[in-house]
Amino acid sequence: MRIRLDLAYDGTSFSGWARQPGLRTVEDTLATGLGTVLRMEPPGLTVGGRTDAGVHARGSVCHLDLDEPVWAAVPGRSDRSPGEALVTRLAGVLPDDVVVRSAVAVDGDFDARFSALRRRYTYRLLDRPHLLDPLRRRDTVVVRRALDVDAMHRAGGTLLGLQDFAAYCRARAGASTIRTLLEFSWERGDDGVLVGTVVADAFCHSMVRALVGSVVPVGHGARGTGWPREVLAGGMRDPGVRVMPAHGLCLEEIAYPASPVDQVDRARESRALRTSTHPEDG
């Protein structure tokens, strides 16, 4: 059986999603918790959006495969469904910086990575340090110079569409850097915090933080609104683009087709593309 897990985590104390020897990661922590609850070896997990060290998530999704008797046995003697029971039991073994919100059986062809239509991230910036909420210091990046949010919004809009984002991706051998950027917008909230929203079909390594780093100089007035587009056209990493700190970034949502049939079709299409171009999703 294929099981979908929806989860959230505070990335502060994690070395990213993916397992790494000797390091605390979300994948290893969750798999260990599942192994404890299900009384089995920690299962393999496939995630819809891999995050770097320090990056947070409110809307992450992963899947795992279980034998049907294992799934059926999760409630024990209770009258809860296996999904409800798994969520409750995981809450008892996972640390408080990881929460599994739901667990449901899905079609065997659903794929948390390949069935995804798009990923949505937010990035929080504050250019008025005296307004920082101490309770949000772990997810808000403070800068010391004033930012023009309208200029940043206009600059982000120049990058939309199907593009080769090599200038904004960390190079990996054989990996495609072609992505479709659907939204890159900015607004200032009532609390003074600037929130950037970045939506794409997929992201390559460090892409979101580099995109944010391209519009910050625009916000400071050091670059024109067309500069991020010029960097994109150059096709190479520009030293003027700073990869912004990880803790301001949060994976808010991974969107999937509504129907199982469409999810399967999407997975088939995405897998064919990934096989031919080897991109990394995030």
Side-chain angles (χ1 to χ4, degrees):
M1 298 184 65
R2 181 150 292 183
I3 310 302
R4 168 178 166 166
L5 303 180
D6 287 65
L7 64 146
Y9 50 87
D10 177 345
T12 303
S13 300
F14 288 108
S15 296
W17 162 266
R19 282 193 180 103
Q20 301 178 64
L23 296 177
R24 183 175 188 256
T25 67
V26 181
E27 182 180 18
D28 187 59
T29 300
L30 178 56
T32 299
L34 285 163
T36 299
V37 168
L38 300 173
R39 299 181 181 180
M40 59 184 287
E41 289 296 313
L45 302 173
T46 298
V47 73
R50 286 174 288 179
T51 51
D52 294 334
V55 176
H56 314 293
R58 286 195 185 88
S60 188
V61 178
C62 69
H63 79 251
L64 67 151
D65 293 325
L66 296 175
D67 292 333
E68 188 169 352
V70 174
W71 178 245
V74 174
R77 297 180 180 179
S78 75
D79 58 0
R80 295 172 297 185
S81 69
E84 292 172 331
L86 183 58
V87 168
T88 299
R89 295 181 64 186
L90 283 172
V93 300
L94 290 175
D96 58 9
D97 50 0
V98 184
V99 176
V100 173
R101 302 199 185 282
S102 69
V104 295
V106 292
D107 188 279
D109 289 322
F110 169 83
D111 191 291
R113 178 187 177 194
F114 292 121
S115 295
L117 291 170
R118 59 189 177 275
R119 285 89 172 163
R120 176 169 60 91
Y121 283 85
T122 58
Y123 197 93
R124 289 172 54 89
L125 277 171
L126 182 62
D127 58 351
R128 303 167 184 174
H130 63 287
L131 295 181
L132 176 66
D133 179 350
L135 302 183
R136 302 299 301 267
R137 69 191 186 281
R138 290 185 171 185
D139 74 347
T140 305
V141 173
V142 176
V143 295
R144 301 295 172 178
R145 295 170 56 192
L147 291 167
D148 181 338
V149 67
D150 293 330
M152 293 168 65
H153 182 77
R154 293 194 301 273
T158 68
L159 300 173
L160 301 184
L162 179 65
Q163 316 279 359
D164 185 343
F165 285 93
Y168 293 105
C169 296
R170 183 174 295 176
R172 290 188 176 184
S176 171
T177 51
I178 296 174
R179 299 290 187 272
T180 301
L181 187 62
L182 301 168
E183 180 181 350
F184 188 14
S185 61
W186 287 89
E187 62 180 3
R188 188 185 294 274
D190 293 338
D191 58 357
V193 175
L194 284 73
V195 178
T197 299
V198 192
V199 183
D201 57 344
F203 294 94
C204 47
H205 194 229
S206 298
M207 178 176 164
V208 181
R209 290 191 285 144
L211 288 172
V212 174
S214 75
V215 299
V216 167
V218 176
H220 288 324
R223 301 282 188 173
T225 56
W227 182 68
R229 180 74 187 188
E230 294 172 8
V231 172
L232 179 73
M236 299 176 60
R237 295 296 289 265
D238 189 298
V241 176
R242 175 191 177 196
V243 176
M244 297 295 288
H247 70 278
L249 185 61
C250 182
L251 173 57
E252 299 285 354
E253 178 190 25
I254 304 174
Y256 298 91
S259 76
V261 172
D262 290 340
Q263 290 173 3
V264 172
D265 289 344
R266 173 62 178 173
R268 186 179 300 113
E269 294 169 1
S270 297
R271 189 173 285 107
L273 177 63
R274 301 301 184 258
T275 300
S276 62
T277 60
H278 308 290
E280 298 292 331
D281 290 340

